[in-house]
């Protein structure tokens, strides 16, 4: 089953995060040997902030390791509905969060999500398969 890789996992590895690097790198390596790793434009955009040139980002996220997948329209709809539920629960953000798009993409496509921040995904996407601490 394809694994959608959350941007926090990629950022942990690329920045050698002192707290999360080991866990994130181990999970990424483990799942890359078993399944297809997938990223989407939201994940790509979040990771891109640390790079000056697109060529550098492409080298950090090689296409032979990370399949690029577009966001389905159904995922955008689901992300909006989950954001609305979040706002009704006293959510403080004013625009749809990337996590809602990422979670909706995984849910609509039947992907497992590799993340180190499962709380929001478990709350708003309770049937979503997660790989998380």
């Amino acid at each position: 089953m394809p694994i959608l890789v959350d941007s926090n996992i990629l950022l942990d590895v690329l920045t050698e995060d002192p707290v999360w690097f080991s866990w994130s790198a181990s999970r990424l390596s483990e799942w890359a040997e078993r399944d297809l790793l997938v990223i989407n434009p939201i994940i790509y955009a979040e990771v891109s902030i640390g790079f000056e040139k697109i060529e550098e980002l492409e080298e950090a996220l090689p296409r032979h390791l990370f399949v690029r997948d577009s966001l389905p329209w159904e995922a955008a709809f689901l992300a909006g509905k989950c954001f609305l539920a979040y706002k009704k629960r006293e959510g403080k953000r004013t625009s749809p969060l990337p996590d809602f798009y990422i979670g909706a993409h995984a849910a609509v496509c039947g992907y497992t999500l590799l993340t180190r921040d499962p709380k929001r995904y478990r709350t708003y996407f309770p049937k979503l398969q997660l790989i998380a601490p």
Side-chain angles (χ1 to χ4, degrees):
M1 175 180 298
I3 308 293
L4 187 63
V5 182
D6 199 350
S7 51
N8 56 36
I9 299 295
L10 298 170
L11 291 169
D12 290 345
V13 173
L14 293 170
T15 65
E16 297 184 14
D17 182 272
V19 175
W20 288 104
F21 173 79
S22 180
W23 189 90
S24 294
S26 294
R27 295 299 81 68
L28 196 58
S29 176
E30 173 186 346
W31 288 98
E33 292 179 17
R34 298 182 191 179
D35 290 296
L36 189 65
L37 300 179
V38 178
I39 59 174
N40 66 30
I42 303 292
I43 294 163
Y44 191 89
E46 288 187 316
V47 174
S48 76
I49 293 169
F51 294 87
E52 290 292 320
K53 297 179 180 180
I54 194 169
E55 293 83 6
E56 295 168 351
L57 178 58
E58 285 292 316
E59 187 176 321
L61 301 174
R63 289 178 184 264
H64 69 278
L65 291 178
F66 298 97
V67 172
R68 274 75 167 150
D69 194 18
S70 298
L71 262 172
W73 290 101
E74 297 83 359
F77 181 82
L78 180 57
K81 293 303 174 196
C82 290
F83 178 70
L84 182 60
Y86 167 78
K87 291 294 289 176
K88 288 179 179 178
R89 289 182 173 186
E90 304 299 323
K92 303 295 183 214
R93 305 249 179 142
T94 58
S95 65
L97 299 171
D99 288 351
F100 291 113
Y101 288 113
I102 292 167
H105 186 185
V108 166
C109 291
Y111 296 156
T112 296
L113 180 62
L114 173 58
T115 185
R116 67 161 163 81
D117 188 19
K119 184 179 178 186
R120 187 170 294 131
Y121 298 118
R122 286 187 177 131
T123 300
Y124 295 97
F125 305 96
K127 294 180 181 178
L128 183 60
Q129 292 263 344
L130 298 177
I131 302 165

